[in-house]
Amino acid sequence: MNYTINQLRVFLKVIETESITKASEELFMTQPAVSIQLKNFQSQFKFPLTEVVGRQLYVTEFGYEVAEIARRIFDELEALKYKTKEYEGIYTGRLRISVASTGKYVIPFFLTDFLNTHTGIDLVLDVTNKSKVVESLKNNEIDFAVVSVLPEEVEVEEVLLIENKLYLVGNTDNYSKNKTLIYREEGSATRQVMEQYFDKKGSKRKQIELTSNEAVKQAVLAGIGHSILPLIGIKSELIEGSLKIIRKRGLPLKTDWRLIWLKDKKLSPVANAYLEHVRKEKAKIQKKYFKWYLDFE
């Protein structure tokens, strides 16, 4: 075989986008140039990597297997790129973390001292919903994920970061009334625990669904209804008085924010260094940045 790194890069982008047009746009190449690179790469295999049905490009099973190997090649190239720096005692490279939406209020404080110490590390932080976080983890696209409920469909290892406290809240005008319940979308960990709580109570309140924690918070602020929200994300609103906690038996609900990674995953030097930092410094980080939160009742 005589493939090039550029052919691998083009092939992976085509696999990712399932489109020559989109791949060419993202790679800043012309469509004919992408097609030629893909054709030259394909010529080295007996089995098709992709196939076109109508005008739609599909990736074959063989193509997906080759793509997985290609991703590992790029991972090794990335490690090779920074190996000299590592021997000098300087950690450089990428740290890739995917965070379930409300984890954005937690993970920056577990990163700041580490990144300030190791200035050669590039952080790639994706804040999205839980389903996409788990998908990225399953596809081995990230080093770590931050979630509050462990995924059932994949085996992982974990380090607990901090407790996640969830309270029922309303705005200053309606917090004492029996209002509409505002839920996150299906697949959200917050929705999961909220449903469990109200199902147990046999609640018959009207329900609406929104697709982000920030949208839910704004809807509560506007007086549309009540919701169960993570305390970590409503500090400012509680201080200024625009949101009020509705005290109910069985609340707050409690889970744990946790850093997880694939079981048996071979972590990069940068990922290993970060994991060691979290384990060693967790108590200090909690005390330094989360004292108000830990003391809140």
Side-chain angles (χ1 to χ4, degrees):
M1 284 193 175
N2 190 30
Y3 59 80
T4 66
I5 298 300
N6 193 44
Q7 286 172 359
L8 283 176
R9 184 175 289 108
V10 169
F11 169 65
L12 281 177
K13 186 57 69 174
V14 170
I15 296 298
E16 178 187 322
T17 60
E18 295 187 344
S19 164
I20 298 234
T21 301
K22 290 179 182 177
S24 65
E25 290 171 354
E26 294 189 20
L27 291 168
F28 301 100
M29 296 171 65
T30 64
Q31 290 184 40
V34 168
S35 296
I36 290 169
Q37 292 291 339
L38 184 61
K39 181 180 179 181
N40 289 341
F41 188 59
Q42 171 66 79
S43 69
Q44 302 179 71
F45 300 95
K46 292 181 180 180
F47 304 103
L49 300 167
T50 61
E51 56 186 10
V52 177
V53 179
R55 301 186 65 179
Q56 177 64 47
L57 182 144
Y58 295 92
V59 184
T60 65
E61 183 177 349
F62 180 68
Y64 280 120
E65 291 183 7
V66 172
E68 182 58 35
I69 294 170
R71 289 189 186 97
R72 293 202 297 268
I73 289 172
F74 276 104
D75 286 343
E76 292 299 323
L77 287 172
E78 191 77 12
L80 182 63
K81 179 180 177 181
Y82 297 109
K83 181 57 69 174
T84 301
K85 294 287 188 181
E86 181 189 334
Y87 268 82
E88 294 172 351
I90 304 171
Y91 284 108
T92 57
R94 282 194 189 133
L95 180 63
R96 299 165 298 182
I97 303 176
S98 187
V99 183
S101 57
T102 48
K104 67 186 178 185
Y105 300 110
V106 174
I107 193 61
F109 299 102
F110 284 87
L111 283 163
T112 181
D113 293 339
F114 179 76
L115 294 175
N116 287 338
T117 300
H118 305 289
T119 56
I121 292 175
D122 297 323
L123 173 66
V124 180
L125 184 64
D126 180 32
V127 180
T128 184
N129 61 43
K130 184 192 172 188
S131 297
K132 291 182 179 178
V133 169
V134 174
E135 191 65 24
S136 295
L137 193 68
K138 286 168 63 177
N139 293 337
N140 199 28
E141 297 169 352
I142 54 177
D143 298 305
F144 300 106
V146 177
V147 297
S148 59
V149 176
L150 285 174
E152 297 178 355
E153 58 269 50
V154 59
E155 287 190 279
V156 298
E157 298 184 62
E158 65 172 332
V159 172
L160 298 183
L161 299 178
I162 195 168
E163 189 175 59
N164 182 31
K165 305 175 186 178
L166 300 108
Y167 288 86
L168 182 65
V169 296
N171 73 4
T172 52
D173 295 325
N174 72 20
Y175 75 96
S176 62
K177 302 171 185 176
N178 205 29
K179 296 284 288 185
T180 297
L181 292 175
I182 306 172
Y183 284 84
R184 284 284 306 277
E185 76 283 3
E186 290 283 353
S188 160
T190 302
R191 180 187 179 117
Q192 183 180 334
V193 295
M194 186 172 171
E195 282 183 330
Q196 289 170 354
Y197 175 77
F198 282 109
D199 286 350
K200 190 181 296 185
K201 296 287 183 183
S203 174
K204 301 297 183 183
R205 290 205 230 176
K206 181 182 175 183
Q207 300 177 12
I208 63 173
E209 178 182 305
L210 298 174
T211 57
S212 76
N213 193 68
E214 188 60 31
V216 172
K217 182 167 70 173
Q218 292 303 319
V220 175
L221 284 166
I224 293 174
H226 297 158
S227 188
I228 289 181
L229 289 170
L231 174 65
I232 199 81
I234 56 174
K235 178 184 178 182
S236 297
E237 290 79 10
L238 291 176
I239 290 173
E240 68 187 25
S242 55
L243 287 181
K244 288 186 177 292
I245 287 175
I246 303 167
R247 301 287 179 178
K248 295 286 186 180
R249 181 173 296 181
L251 294 175
L253 303 175
K254 295 182 179 180
T255 57
D256 289 288
W257 286 110
R258 54 195 83 211
L259 187 74
I260 64 173
W261 62 100
L262 285 176
K263 187 176 181 180
D264 300 324
K265 177 179 173 64
K266 183 182 178 183
L267 295 175
S268 69
V270 166
N272 262 320
Y274 179 62
L275 184 57
E276 182 181 347
H277 169 80
V278 171
R279 284 172 168 159
K280 182 181 177 182
E281 302 295 329
K282 181 173 73 170
K284 292 180 182 177
I285 293 169
Q286 291 175 348
K287 185 176 180 180
K288 181 178 180 180
Y289 297 110
F290 297 99
K291 188 176 185 306
W292 73 271
Y293 177 78
L294 295 171
D295 291 344
F296 189 93
E297 293 294 341

XYZ file of all heavy atoms in Angstrom, residues 137 157 185 293:
38
model
N -18.357 9.460 23.221
C -17.599 8.529 24.065
C -17.525 7.153 23.411
O -16.459 6.548 23.320
C -18.256 8.439 25.440
C -17.461 7.763 26.553
C -16.246 8.600 26.932
C -18.338 7.532 27.773
N -14.988 3.996 33.206
C -14.394 4.227 34.519
C -14.684 5.669 34.891
O -14.983 6.499 34.024
C -12.898 3.937 34.483
C -12.594 2.479 34.136
C -11.107 2.162 34.184
O -10.521 2.282 35.275
O -10.555 1.805 33.134
N -35.382 18.020 27.203
C -35.728 17.071 26.155
C -35.456 15.624 26.577
O -34.736 15.388 27.549
C -34.933 17.388 24.873
C -33.470 16.970 24.885
C -32.558 17.880 25.683
O -33.053 18.841 26.307
O -31.346 17.622 25.692
N -21.577 26.490 47.291
C -22.456 25.435 46.755
C -22.546 24.259 47.723
O -23.630 23.750 48.005
C -21.895 24.996 45.409
C -22.644 23.862 44.751
C -23.840 24.076 44.101
C -22.130 22.570 44.779
C -24.525 23.045 43.482
C -22.809 21.530 44.159
C -24.000 21.779 43.512
O -24.661 20.749 42.911
